[in-house]
Amino acid sequence: MINKAGRDIPLVIPGFKEVKLYNGAFGAVPTGRVVGPKITVNKPRSEKIVKSIDQAIEATGLKSGMTISFHHHFRNGDYVLNMVVEAIARKGIKDITLAASSLTSTHDAIIPFIEQGVITAIETSGGRGKLGELFTSGKYLKKPVLIRSHGGRARAIESGELAIDVAFIGAPACDTYGNINGIEGKSACGSMGYAMCDATYADQVVAITDHLVPHPLFPISIPQTNVDYIVEVDAIGDPKGIASGALRISRDPKELIIAEYAASVIEYSGYFKNDYSLQLGSGGASLATAQFIKEKMIEQGIVGSFGVGGITAPFIDMLEQGLFKTLFDVQDFDIPSIDSLRNNPNHLEMSASYYANPHNRGPIVNKLDVVILSATEVDVDFNVNVITNSNGVIMGASGGHCDTAAGAGLSIVVAPLLRGRLPMVLDRVHTIVTPGETVDVIVTERGVAVNPNRKDVLENLKEANIPLMSIEELQHIAYSLTGKPEAIPVTDDIVGVVEYRDGTILDVIRKPV
């Protein structure tokens, strides 16, 4: 069947109980109720601390066929997921569904356990490196990898579509009764936003920490009422992989041109005024845009309401200079951001549900005025791909891309017109992660295209000194330089399913030939 994004989606996909077709960004009407974890009891003076991860697994009663979850705040420095999966394998437990908020190249270490049948299904935001290649091969997993956005994952957990038997929480600081925060300890990662949903809704929760402190720990990100067991280990992550110093502002001439155009789009869009709100990405062009937009805010005396999302040093700089009143933080990318969350009362931690769950009473993305997003490729219908590469291999993550595009008043996608000899504006992206109906402007170094649905924005941008053109003209420039690329040949085998944030199927990823 053809869904509203124009993709051919089979009505039966192996391993999926029901296939609901994407029907527009707000086409799905939720029903039912929010679910909850099993009711439990903890008697006075009972002990939560166990001696090892192995003992914690035994205490939870984890067995073959269950679902476990992890959060990805430790990024490429994460030790927790690999340690737990290795312990599960030692116990002979198999057929586990791994529901991690995202996966990075450091998790390539679990590939042998996928090959051995310890992990047989994966639900996550994306995959990179060898894991992405394994997902794309279609080998070993009993069903296609399920790709969810950050908001979509929170929705799935709260609705019960993703039922977590045991959540393993990497805890940078944890007290002896289970209170957790992410701003203390040698493995501090900042916000614990993605882990909050897991800890709230999982049937059992294990905190794994390398910084165990006396009760009570404060401030509290995840409360003791959500934690069943605590394990102290030597290290839960590599600080060098968890957070870097302030991320570098790009010096690449192409990225600087894109950033300057993007800042001009914001300035003339009609949204650039006091109390506007903004989300930035962590890529080179996005960070450079922050520098340009900061200068414009100072020049024009504009003070924003809030910044949101994954937080980086440029946002911290603008908060400290009074250019934004507050920040809502679901993840931190660098040390200045972690320090700010620890010390600045106007820097607020939030859960993934508060951030972007489309089926609660109001995620913060609904109040977002402007978001800047990156892209692997875009097409003439403004659809965006950030998950598969030019060979059709899974190599990226959905993150909050479609969530913020849907919620923001103005969604801006920044991308180079060419990568090497490959055009980035195509007839049809290989995989849709964010539908074109929610993308307003595409900015490249050669020109800026406005979605025809946003005539108001196009009219405003005529005042800006930027090269406006249609998306077809952008594509023509790219094709005139590189030629029209051949479509990636694929088989009928579905190796990945891209679920839209509302639980409908936006696209499928077929195994390349």
Side-chain angles (χ1 to χ4, degrees):
M1 294 286 288
I2 304 298
N3 69 10
K4 200 164 183 178
R7 293 300 164 124
D8 188 2
I9 310 295
L11 288 180
V12 177
I13 299 177
F16 287 76
K17 292 180 182 177
E18 183 183 8
V19 174
K20 294 180 285 187
L21 297 181
Y22 172 74
N23 190 34
F26 298 96
V29 178
T31 58
R33 291 179 175 274
V34 171
V35 299
K38 290 180 179 176
I39 297 173
T40 186
V41 63
N42 186 275
K43 294 180 179 178
R45 284 161 291 285
S46 58
E47 183 62 72
K48 290 187 179 182
I49 298 174
V50 296
K51 293 180 179 177
S52 66
I53 293 174
D54 290 68
Q55 197 175 94
I57 292 170
E58 292 168 10
T60 63
L62 183 73
K63 58 186 179 183
S64 298
M66 286 188 166
T67 296
I68 60 175
S69 80
F70 299 87
H71 61 103
H72 71 284
H73 293 98
F74 299 151
R75 302 195 298 155
N76 266 329
D78 183 30
Y79 293 165
V80 173
L81 190 152
N82 294 346
M83 287 193 297
V84 171
V85 171
E86 189 175 336
I88 289 171
R90 282 198 299 269
K91 293 188 169 301
I93 299 170
K94 295 201 170 187
D95 194 22
I96 290 292
T97 294
L98 171 63
S101 55
S102 198
L103 295 165
T104 70
S105 56
T106 196
H107 301 125
D108 286 352
I110 67 171
I111 287 176
F113 304 116
I114 297 174
E115 295 171 344
Q116 294 165 21
V118 177
I119 296 167
T120 55
I122 292 181
E123 302 180 12
T124 185
S125 175
R128 299 173 176 84
K130 293 180 181 177
L131 263 181
E133 293 172 4
L134 182 141
F135 297 162
T136 312
S137 75
K139 296 179 180 176
Y140 307 114
L141 297 177
K142 65 182 181 183
K143 65 178 185 178
V145 62
L146 177 57
I147 305 295
R148 286 193 176 103
S149 69
H150 291 327
R153 182 176 187 269
R155 176 206 58 77
I157 291 173
E158 294 187 7
S159 69
E161 288 177 25
L162 172 52
I164 300 169
D165 293 298
V166 184
F168 293 92
I169 308 294
C174 181
D175 72 27
T176 52
Y177 207 44
N179 295 300
I180 295 170
N181 72 44
I183 58 175
E184 299 175 32
K186 64 182 180 182
S187 302
C189 63
S191 174
M192 297 290 290
Y194 300 123
M196 291 176 176
C197 295
D198 299 41
T200 303
Y201 293 95
D203 276 348
Q204 298 201 65
V205 176
V206 177
I208 301 175
T209 186
D210 54 11
H211 188 61
L212 186 65
V213 299
H215 182 273
L217 169 77
F218 56 90
I220 297 170
S221 299
I222 293 173
Q224 63 193 36
T225 49
N226 288 347
V227 176
D228 297 282
Y229 303 102
I230 302 161
V231 183
E232 186 178 23
V233 298
D234 292 336
I236 58 174
D238 176 2
K240 293 179 182 176
I242 295 172
S244 63
L247 297 179
R248 180 185 61 84
I249 300 293
S250 176
R251 294 180 179 177
D252 180 281
K254 186 188 296 184
E255 289 188 339
L256 290 175
I257 293 172
I258 293 171
E260 193 167 2
Y261 288 164
S264 293
V265 169
I266 296 172
E267 180 182 12
Y268 287 91
S269 64
Y271 290 91
F272 191 58
K273 52 191 174 185
N274 278 327
D275 288 332
Y276 89 110
S277 54
L278 176 67
Q279 174 164 334
L280 299 168
S282 59
S286 290
L287 292 174
T289 303
Q291 183 63 33
F292 287 117
I293 206 66
K294 171 187 162 186
E295 293 170 1
K296 292 178 185 295
M297 291 174 74
I298 293 172
E299 289 170 2
Q300 300 180 34
I302 288 177
V303 175
S305 173
F306 66 87
V308 65
I311 299 299
T312 56
F315 249 148
I316 302 305
D317 184 37
M318 288 194 278
L319 176 67
E320 292 177 348
Q321 291 194 38
L323 298 176
F324 281 99
K325 296 173 183 175
T326 190
L327 298 181
F328 290 99
D329 185 349
V330 72
Q331 180 182 12
D332 293 287
F333 286 91
D334 51 30
I335 292 170
S337 303
I338 297 170
D339 291 341
S340 173
L341 182 63
R342 182 186 302 116
N343 299 318
N344 193 329
N346 293 332
H347 186 159
L348 307 175
E349 192 174 14
M350 66 176 172
S351 73
S353 185
Y354 188 98
Y355 174 41
N357 178 355
H359 292 169
N360 64 25
R361 291 177 173 80
I364 196 68
V365 295
N366 284 1
K367 301 294 287 182
L368 183 59
D369 286 316
V370 180
V371 62
I372 299 176
L373 298 163
S374 60
T376 303
E377 56 189 23
V378 300
D379 67 24
V380 293
D381 294 319
F382 288 78
N383 297 307
V384 178
N385 174 22
V386 293
I387 198 81
T388 49
N389 67 13
S390 58
N391 296 315
V393 175
I394 295 171
M395 46 63 70
S398 171
H401 205 287
C402 69
D403 301 310
T404 50
L410 179 70
S411 60
I412 303 169
V413 170
V414 294
L417 190 62
L418 306 174
R419 281 194 174 92
R421 292 290 300 168
L422 296 173
M424 294 297 109
V425 182
L426 307 172
D427 293 335
R428 169 186 168 97
V429 293
H430 188 68
T431 308
I432 300 178
V433 169
T434 295
E437 66 174 292
T438 64
V439 175
D440 298 312
V441 183
I442 292 173
V443 178
T444 75
E445 76 280 14
R446 298 294 291 266
V448 175
V450 179
N451 191 319
N453 294 330
R454 294 304 306 268
K455 292 182 173 58
D456 56 328
V457 174
L458 179 60
E459 191 63 28
N460 289 339
L461 293 186
K462 289 178 180 176
E463 300 295 323
N465 184 27
I466 53 177
L468 286 174
M469 57 187 70
S470 70
I471 191 73
E472 289 81 9
E473 288 173 313
L474 268 180
Q475 183 196 42
H476 177 74
I477 294 172
Y479 281 11
S480 68
L481 295 170
T482 66
K484 182 177 179 178
E486 298 288 334
I488 300 168
V490 295
T491 69
D492 291 333
D493 297 339
I494 295 174
V495 297
V497 172
V498 180
E499 186 180 273
Y500 192 58
R501 60 198 298 253
D502 62 7
T504 59
I505 303 304
L506 180 60
D507 207 348
V508 294
I509 302 171
R510 291 182 168 84
K511 181 181 177 181
V513 174

Tab-separated table of all heavy atoms in Angstrom, residues 301-349:
chain	number	residue	atom	x	y	z
A	301	GLY	N	19.139	43.555	19.567
A	301	GLY	CA	18.587	43.581	20.918
A	301	GLY	C	17.496	42.558	21.156
A	301	GLY	O	16.564	42.797	21.932
A	302	ILE	N	17.619	41.408	20.515
A	302	ILE	CA	16.588	40.369	20.639
A	302	ILE	C	16.976	39.372	21.732
A	302	ILE	O	18.120	38.907	21.791
A	302	ILE	CB	16.391	39.652	19.289
A	302	ILE	CG1	15.667	40.606	18.334
A	302	ILE	CG2	15.623	38.343	19.448
A	302	ILE	CD1	15.462	40.073	16.955
A	303	VAL	N	16.014	39.052	22.594
A	303	VAL	CA	16.204	38.054	23.646
A	303	VAL	C	15.213	36.920	23.410
A	303	VAL	O	13.998	37.146	23.347
A	303	VAL	CB	15.989	38.667	25.044
A	303	VAL	CG1	16.078	37.578	26.115
A	303	VAL	CG2	17.017	39.752	25.310
A	304	GLY	N	15.737	35.717	23.245
A	304	GLY	CA	14.889	34.563	22.992
A	304	GLY	C	14.259	34.018	24.260
A	304	GLY	O	14.749	34.249	25.367
A	305	SER	N	13.193	33.261	24.087
A	305	SER	CA	12.514	32.641	25.219
A	305	SER	C	13.296	31.428	25.723
A	305	SER	O	13.720	31.381	26.866
A	305	SER	CB	11.100	32.219	24.801
A	305	SER	OG	10.492	31.478	25.829
A	306	PHE	N	13.475	30.433	24.859
A	306	PHE	CA	14.206	29.244	25.292
A	306	PHE	C	14.942	28.588	24.124
A	306	PHE	O	14.553	28.732	22.962
A	306	PHE	CB	13.286	28.221	25.973
A	306	PHE	CG	12.250	27.590	25.065
A	306	PHE	CD1	12.541	26.461	24.318
A	306	PHE	CD2	10.958	28.107	24.990
A	306	PHE	CE1	11.587	25.868	23.503
A	306	PHE	CE2	9.991	27.529	24.173
A	306	PHE	CZ	10.308	26.401	23.426
A	307	GLY	N	15.993	27.884	24.479
A	307	GLY	CA	16.674	26.977	23.566
A	307	GLY	C	16.375	25.558	24.012
A	307	GLY	O	16.067	25.316	25.187
A	308	VAL	N	16.462	24.603	23.105
A	308	VAL	CA	16.005	23.256	23.427
A	308	VAL	C	16.804	22.217	22.664
A	308	VAL	O	17.402	22.511	21.630
A	308	VAL	CB	14.492	23.127	23.109
A	308	VAL	CG1	14.234	23.261	21.626
A	308	VAL	CG2	13.906	21.831	23.642
A	309	GLY	N	16.779	20.989	23.210
A	309	GLY	CA	17.320	19.851	22.491
A	309	GLY	C	18.593	19.323	23.096
A	309	GLY	O	18.856	19.483	24.286
A	310	GLY	N	19.414	18.706	22.269
A	310	GLY	CA	20.762	18.404	22.653
A	310	GLY	C	21.495	19.726	22.795
A	310	GLY	O	21.450	20.571	21.901
A	311	ILE	N	22.152	19.908	23.928
A	311	ILE	CA	22.725	21.218	24.237
A	311	ILE	C	24.227	21.213	23.978
A	311	ILE	O	24.925	20.254	24.323
A	311	ILE	CB	22.440	21.592	25.702
A	311	ILE	CG1	20.922	21.654	25.940
A	311	ILE	CG2	23.079	22.934	26.048
A	311	ILE	CD1	20.181	22.681	25.113
A	312	THR	N	24.709	22.320	23.402
A	312	THR	CA	26.127	22.496	23.099
A	312	THR	C	26.607	23.840	23.644
A	312	THR	O	25.806	24.689	24.032
A	312	THR	CB	26.364	22.449	21.578
A	312	THR	OG1	25.543	23.452	20.966
A	312	THR	CG2	26.018	21.084	21.010
A	313	ALA	N	27.940	24.036	23.615
A	313	ALA	CA	28.549	25.240	24.181
A	313	ALA	C	28.008	26.544	23.597
A	313	ALA	O	27.829	27.518	24.348
A	313	ALA	CB	30.069	25.168	24.021
A	314	PRO	N	27.735	26.649	22.285
A	314	PRO	CA	27.191	27.920	21.784
A	314	PRO	C	25.888	28.328	22.464
A	314	PRO	O	25.653	29.514	22.703
A	314	PRO	CB	26.997	27.639	20.290
A	314	PRO	CG	28.023	26.617	19.957
A	314	PRO	CD	28.077	25.732	21.175
A	315	PHE	N	25.038	27.335	22.773
A	315	PHE	CA	23.803	27.643	23.491
A	315	PHE	C	24.112	28.142	24.907
A	315	PHE	O	23.459	29.051	25.425
A	315	PHE	CB	22.917	26.410	23.572
A	315	PHE	CG	21.669	26.503	22.736
A	315	PHE	CD1	21.120	25.371	22.157
A	315	PHE	CD2	21.020	27.718	22.548
A	315	PHE	CE1	19.970	25.441	21.392
A	315	PHE	CE2	19.857	27.801	21.783
A	315	PHE	CZ	19.339	26.665	21.207
A	316	ILE	N	25.114	27.514	25.544
A	316	ILE	CA	25.495	27.932	26.899
A	316	ILE	C	25.985	29.378	26.877
A	316	ILE	O	25.643	30.188	27.748
A	316	ILE	CB	26.587	26.999	27.458
A	316	ILE	CG1	26.106	25.546	27.475
A	316	ILE	CG2	27.015	27.459	28.847
A	316	ILE	CD1	24.814	25.327	28.214
A	317	ASP	N	26.772	29.690	25.870
A	317	ASP	CA	27.281	31.049	25.726
A	317	ASP	C	26.128	32.047	25.608
A	317	ASP	O	26.121	33.104	26.254
A	317	ASP	CB	28.198	31.105	24.495
A	317	ASP	CG	28.860	32.459	24.329
A	317	ASP	OD1	29.217	33.072	25.346
A	317	ASP	OD2	29.027	32.894	23.183
A	318	MET	N	25.137	31.707	24.803
A	318	MET	CA	24.002	32.619	24.611
A	318	MET	C	23.146	32.721	25.877
A	318	MET	O	22.614	33.787	26.193
A	318	MET	CB	23.162	32.161	23.416
A	318	MET	CG	23.865	32.413	22.076
A	318	MET	SD	22.783	32.261	20.627
A	318	MET	CE	22.787	30.491	20.413
A	319	LEU	N	23.017	31.605	26.622
A	319	LEU	CA	22.277	31.647	27.896
A	319	LEU	C	22.991	32.568	28.878
A	319	LEU	O	22.355	33.415	29.532
A	319	LEU	CB	22.166	30.230	28.470
A	319	LEU	CG	21.495	30.114	29.847
A	319	LEU	CD1	20.007	30.473	29.756
A	319	LEU	CD2	21.666	28.691	30.417
A	320	GLU	N	24.305	32.414	28.973
A	320	GLU	CA	25.064	33.206	29.952
A	320	GLU	C	25.122	34.682	29.583
A	320	GLU	O	25.266	35.533	30.460
A	320	GLU	CB	26.477	32.612	30.087
A	320	GLU	CG	26.461	31.228	30.739
A	320	GLU	CD	27.836	30.603	30.823
A	320	GLU	OE1	28.767	31.136	30.186
A	320	GLU	OE2	27.967	29.569	31.511
A	321	GLN	N	25.000	34.976	28.291
A	321	GLN	CA	24.966	36.380	27.866
A	321	GLN	C	23.565	36.979	27.917
A	321	GLN	O	23.357	38.123	27.523
A	321	GLN	CB	25.525	36.513	26.451
A	321	GLN	CG	27.015	36.243	26.355
A	321	GLN	CD	27.599	36.707	25.025
A	321	GLN	OE1	27.207	37.739	24.502
A	321	GLN	NE2	28.541	35.953	24.500
A	322	GLY	N	22.597	36.189	28.374
A	322	GLY	CA	21.231	36.688	28.493
A	322	GLY	C	20.476	36.743	27.188
A	322	GLY	O	19.424	37.393	27.092
A	323	LEU	N	20.972	36.053	26.149
A	323	LEU	CA	20.289	36.061	24.862
A	323	LEU	C	19.135	35.073	24.825
A	323	LEU	O	18.241	35.172	23.980
A	323	LEU	CB	21.289	35.758	23.736
A	323	LEU	CG	22.416	36.784	23.590
A	323	LEU	CD1	23.415	36.347	22.525
A	323	LEU	CD2	21.841	38.154	23.229
A	324	PHE	N	19.162	34.067	25.693
A	324	PHE	CA	18.013	33.188	25.920
A	324	PHE	C	17.737	33.144	27.413
A	324	PHE	O	18.658	33.178	28.231
A	324	PHE	CB	18.258	31.774	25.377
A	324	PHE	CG	18.087	31.664	23.897
A	324	PHE	CD1	19.185	31.694	23.056
A	324	PHE	CD2	16.823	31.555	23.335
A	324	PHE	CE1	19.030	31.629	21.691
A	324	PHE	CE2	16.656	31.487	21.964
A	324	PHE	CZ	17.762	31.518	21.130
A	325	LYS	N	16.450	33.059	27.763
A	325	LYS	CA	16.072	33.075	29.170
A	325	LYS	C	16.304	31.729	29.838
A	325	LYS	O	16.606	31.658	31.030
A	325	LYS	CB	14.599	33.472	29.303
A	325	LYS	CG	14.310	34.892	28.814
A	325	LYS	CD	12.817	35.189	28.804
A	325	LYS	CE	12.558	36.582	28.244
A	325	LYS	NZ	11.102	36.860	28.115
A	326	THR	N	16.135	30.645	29.082
A	326	THR	CA	16.314	29.326	29.672
A	326	THR	C	16.642	28.303	28.594
A	326	THR	O	16.452	28.559	27.399
A	326	THR	CB	15.040	28.892	30.435
A	326	THR	OG1	15.316	27.727	31.197
A	326	THR	CG2	13.897	28.599	29.481
A	327	LEU	N	17.146	27.149	29.011
A	327	LEU	CA	17.408	26.023	28.114
A	327	LEU	C	16.679	24.794	28.642
A	327	LEU	O	16.682	24.530	29.847
A	327	LEU	CB	18.907	25.717	28.034
A	327	LEU	CG	19.838	26.794	27.488
A	327	LEU	CD1	21.282	26.281	27.475
A	327	LEU	CD2	19.415	27.235	26.081
A	328	PHE	N	16.065	24.029	27.738
A	328	PHE	CA	15.501	22.727	28.066
A	328	PHE	C	16.427	21.671	27.467
A	328	PHE	O	16.674	21.667	26.261
A	328	PHE	CB	14.090	22.580	27.488
A	328	PHE	CG	13.076	23.452	28.171
A	328	PHE	CD1	12.679	24.661	27.615
A	328	PHE	CD2	12.511	23.062	29.375
A	328	PHE	CE1	11.749	25.468	28.243
A	328	PHE	CE2	11.571	23.851	30.015
A	328	PHE	CZ	11.192	25.067	29.449
A	329	ASP	N	16.879	20.759	28.314
A	329	ASP	CA	18.013	19.902	27.970
A	329	ASP	C	17.652	18.423	28.087
A	329	ASP	O	17.332	17.936	29.169
A	329	ASP	CB	19.166	20.253	28.938
A	329	ASP	CG	20.458	19.515	28.629
A	329	ASP	OD1	20.431	18.588	27.809
A	329	ASP	OD2	21.478	19.878	29.224
A	330	VAL	N	17.738	17.696	26.970
A	330	VAL	CA	17.513	16.247	26.997
A	330	VAL	C	18.817	15.466	26.870
A	330	VAL	O	18.884	14.291	27.189
A	330	VAL	CB	16.523	15.843	25.875
A	330	VAL	CG1	17.183	15.951	24.494
A	330	VAL	CG2	15.964	14.453	26.091
A	331	GLN	N	19.891	16.161	26.401
A	331	GLN	CA	21.190	15.504	26.231
A	331	GLN	C	22.264	16.576	26.109
A	331	GLN	O	22.027	17.637	25.516
A	331	GLN	CB	21.207	14.645	24.966
A	331	GLN	CG	22.532	13.924	24.734
A	331	GLN	CD	22.561	13.110	23.443
A	331	GLN	OE1	21.684	13.257	22.602
A	331	GLN	NE2	23.542	12.249	23.307
A	332	ASP	N	23.448	16.285	26.660
A	332	ASP	CA	24.559	17.235	26.570
A	332	ASP	C	25.679	16.653	25.726
A	332	ASP	O	26.013	15.477	25.844
A	332	ASP	CB	25.077	17.566	27.972
A	332	ASP	CG	24.042	18.326	28.767
A	332	ASP	OD1	23.832	19.509	28.469
A	332	ASP	OD2	23.417	17.719	29.659
A	333	PHE	N	26.277	17.535	24.900
A	333	PHE	CA	27.301	17.076	23.972
A	333	PHE	C	28.714	17.472	24.389
A	333	PHE	O	29.674	16.977	23.803
A	333	PHE	CB	27.021	17.626	22.569
A	333	PHE	CG	25.875	16.950	21.888
A	333	PHE	CD1	24.588	17.441	22.000
A	333	PHE	CD2	26.069	15.801	21.144
A	333	PHE	CE1	23.521	16.819	21.376
A	333	PHE	CE2	25.020	15.159	20.516
A	333	PHE	CZ	23.734	15.671	20.639
A	334	ASP	N	28.839	18.382	25.351
A	334	ASP	CA	30.188	18.827	25.692
A	334	ASP	C	30.255	19.233	27.170
A	334	ASP	O	29.230	19.358	27.852
A	334	ASP	CB	30.648	19.954	24.765
A	334	ASP	CG	29.644	21.087	24.678
A	334	ASP	OD1	28.928	21.311	25.664
A	334	ASP	OD2	29.574	21.741	23.627
A	335	ILE	N	31.460	19.430	27.633
A	335	ILE	CA	31.686	19.730	29.051
A	335	ILE	C	31.057	21.057	29.482
A	335	ILE	O	30.453	21.129	30.566
A	335	ILE	CB	33.205	19.693	29.343
A	335	ILE	CG1	33.701	18.243	29.203
A	335	ILE	CG2	33.505	20.217	30.743
A	335	ILE	CD1	35.208	18.105	29.237
A	336	PRO	N	31.154	22.138	28.686
A	336	PRO	CA	30.471	23.373	29.107
A	336	PRO	C	28.979	23.178	29.354
A	336	PRO	O	28.410	23.806	30.256
A	336	PRO	CB	30.737	24.329	27.932
A	336	PRO	CG	32.014	23.836	27.322
A	336	PRO	CD	31.955	22.348	27.447
A	337	SER	N	28.344	22.317	28.580
A	337	SER	CA	26.906	22.073	28.763
A	337	SER	C	26.644	21.325	30.070
A	337	SER	O	25.680	21.627	30.793
A	337	SER	CB	26.359	21.278	27.578
A	337	SER	OG	26.605	21.953	26.366
A	338	ILE	N	27.482	20.353	30.388
A	338	ILE	CA	27.323	19.611	31.648
A	338	ILE	C	27.547	20.551	32.833
A	338	ILE	O	26.772	20.539	33.808
A	338	ILE	CB	28.308	18.432	31.689
A	338	ILE	CG1	28.012	17.443	30.559
A	338	ILE	CG2	28.240	17.722	33.055
A	338	ILE	CD1	29.079	16.379	30.366
A	339	ASP	N	28.574	21.372	32.741
A	339	ASP	CA	28.848	22.332	33.825
A	339	ASP	C	27.674	23.292	34.014
A	339	ASP	O	27.294	23.635	35.138
A	339	ASP	CB	30.119	23.130	33.514
A	339	ASP	CG	31.379	22.269	33.589
A	339	ASP	OD1	31.322	21.189	34.215
A	339	ASP	OD2	32.408	22.680	33.019
A	340	SER	N	27.094	23.722	32.907
A	340	SER	CA	25.974	24.658	32.984
A	340	SER	C	24.760	24.011	33.640
A	340	SER	O	24.093	24.626	34.488
A	340	SER	CB	25.609	25.147	31.579
A	340	SER	OG	24.435	25.918	31.593
A	341	LEU	N	24.458	22.771	33.259
A	341	LEU	CA	23.315	22.078	33.866
A	341	LEU	C	23.526	21.942	35.379
A	341	LEU	O	22.567	22.025	36.161
A	341	LEU	CB	23.135	20.695	33.229
A	341	LEU	CG	21.940	19.880	33.729
A	341	LEU	CD1	20.615	20.581	33.406
A	341	LEU	CD2	21.947	18.473	33.124
A	342	ARG	N	24.765	21.762	35.781
A	342	ARG	CA	25.083	21.617	37.201
A	342	ARG	C	24.939	22.945	37.957
A	342	ARG	O	24.485	22.957	39.107
A	342	ARG	CB	26.522	21.097	37.350
A	342	ARG	CG	26.965	20.859	38.788
A	342	ARG	CD	28.437	20.496	38.854
A	342	ARG	NE	28.762	19.315	38.066
A	342	ARG	CZ	29.576	19.319	37.008
A	342	ARG	NH1	30.161	20.455	36.621
A	342	ARG	NH2	29.826	18.208	36.346
A	343	ASN	N	25.263	24.050	37.297
A	343	ASN	CA	25.425	25.308	38.030
A	343	ASN	C	24.392	26.385	37.726
A	343	ASN	O	24.218	27.309	38.517
A	343	ASN	CB	26.822	25.888	37.727
A	343	ASN	CG	27.934	24.944	38.162
A	343	ASN	OD1	27.860	24.347	39.242
A	343	ASN	ND2	28.947	24.786	37.317
A	344	ASN	N	23.738	26.323	36.568
A	344	ASN	CA	22.857	27.414	36.164
A	344	ASN	C	21.393	27.023	36.391
A	344	ASN	O	20.883	26.109	35.739
A	344	ASN	CB	23.093	27.759	34.686
A	344	ASN	CG	22.441	29.070	34.284
A	344	ASN	OD1	21.399	29.449	34.822
A	344	ASN	ND2	23.058	29.773	33.352
A	345	PRO	N	20.677	27.697	37.285
A	345	PRO	CA	19.281	27.326	37.560
A	345	PRO	C	18.333	27.551	36.388
A	345	PRO	O	17.208	27.042	36.393
A	345	PRO	CB	18.916	28.235	38.751
A	345	PRO	CG	19.855	29.384	38.661
A	345	PRO	CD	21.133	28.839	38.097
A	346	ASN	N	18.774	28.302	35.385
A	346	ASN	CA	17.932	28.507	34.202
A	346	ASN	C	18.169	27.446	33.124
A	346	ASN	O	17.587	27.524	32.036
A	346	ASN	CB	18.193	29.894	33.610
A	346	ASN	CG	17.728	30.996	34.538
A	346	ASN	OD1	16.807	30.811	35.325
A	346	ASN	ND2	18.389	32.142	34.480
A	347	HIS	N	19.009	26.503	33.421
A	347	HIS	CA	19.297	25.383	32.510
A	347	HIS	C	18.570	24.160	33.064
A	347	HIS	O	18.942	23.621	34.097
A	347	HIS	CB	20.809	25.167	32.462
A	347	HIS	CG	21.254	24.137	31.465
A	347	HIS	ND1	22.534	24.099	30.965
A	347	HIS	CD2	20.608	23.117	30.874
A	347	HIS	CE1	22.659	23.091	30.125
A	347	HIS	NE2	21.490	22.465	30.061
A	348	LEU	N	17.510	23.719	32.372
A	348	LEU	CA	16.571	22.746	32.926
A	348	LEU	C	16.688	21.394	32.233
A	348	LEU	O	16.718	21.315	31.006
A	348	LEU	CB	15.141	23.264	32.778
A	348	LEU	CG	14.875	24.675	33.336
A	348	LEU	CD1	13.454	25.099	33.011
A	348	LEU	CD2	15.125	24.705	34.835
A	349	GLU	N	16.722	20.366	33.024
A	349	GLU	CA	16.728	18.995	32.506
A	349	GLU	C	15.295	18.579	32.165
A	349	GLU	O	14.352	18.950	32.866
A	349	GLU	CB	17.295	18.066	33.587
A	349	GLU	CG	17.627	16.669	33.133
A	349	GLU	CD	18.319	15.900	34.259
A	349	GLU	OE1	18.277	16.370	35.419
A	349	GLU	OE2	18.902	14.844	33.967
